[in-house]
Amino acid sequence: MGILANKKIAILGDRDGIPGPAIEACVATVPGTEIVFSTTECFV
């Protein structure tokens, strides 16, 4: 995930797909990233 290094990240998760906290946990392992927004929504 070198393309995410040293970036600010906004995360939109899906209730029936991949929730925001799961994506956040993965992105948090990339050095230098800053998660500025994370949410899980229901898209119907």
Side-chain angles (χ1 to χ4, degrees):
M1 279 210 257
I3 62 172
L4 295 179
N6 302 314
K7 304 280 184 184
K8 294 184 181 197
I9 309 294
I11 298 170
L12 297 174
D14 183 24
R15 184 192 69 158
D16 295 328
I18 303 172
I23 301 169
E24 189 173 344
C26 294
V27 171
T29 64
V30 180
T33 57
E34 179 184 351
I35 300 169
V36 294
F37 182 76
S38 178
T39 188
T40 300
E41 298 295 328
C42 178
F43 300 101
V44 230

